[in-house]
Amino acid sequence: MVRATDPRQIDRVLGTAPVTLAQRRRLKRALGAARARWNAEAAACGLTAAVRSEVAADHRVDELLRIAAVTPAHSLMGAIAKLVVIEQWGEREPEGDDLPWPFLHGVLSDLVTLAAGEQERPTLSG
């Protein structure tokens, strides 16, 4: 048994020889009708809207993570907060694309900058 979810898959399985043309057309019509039923039911039960919302939320999270990764921390607590964000995100999304590298590069840069600032501060001595 072969499953097709796209008309091109039907052509790949049956080939494009003229002898299979009628069968391919019939199968593509049946696939189109099944997809139309699926789409109608998905819209009716709210699945289509839910998937759209989930995709939008994923894009927003990605955008916020990119912004947070390049936003400099101005204190040690800010650098720690960035590490907490990446740690918690990593626990929830262990297969994230390029995370945690942008965050780790950003936090390392923050810590170097903060450490340099600490060294430049005058100290009060007796």
Side-chain angles (χ1 to χ4, degrees), residues 37-109:
R37 284 191 308 275
W38 168 265
N39 291 339
E41 290 297 323
C45 74
L47 178 62
T48 303
V51 168
R52 245 186 263 121
S53 293
E54 183 180 15
V55 168
D58 284 345
H59 288 306
R60 181 67 176 141
V61 166
D62 290 343
E63 178 186 348
L64 291 172
L65 289 171
R66 275 193 301 277
I67 290 168
V70 299
T71 300
H74 297 288
S75 68
L76 184 57
M77 289 309 293
I80 290 170
K82 289 173 78 170
L83 289 172
V84 168
V85 166
I86 194 57
E87 179 215 16
Q88 290 183 359
W89 178 253
E91 287 176 4
R92 288 177 179 80
E93 297 289 335
E95 296 176 13
D97 295 338
D98 60 342
L99 292 174
W101 302 116
F103 261 87
L104 294 177
H105 291 296
V107 174
L108 179 58
S109 175

Side-chain angles (χ1 to χ4, degrees), residues 13-25:
V13 170
L14 295 178
T16 57
V19 70
T20 64
L21 181 61
Q23 184 180 19
R24 285 185 287 124
R25 284 183 177 162

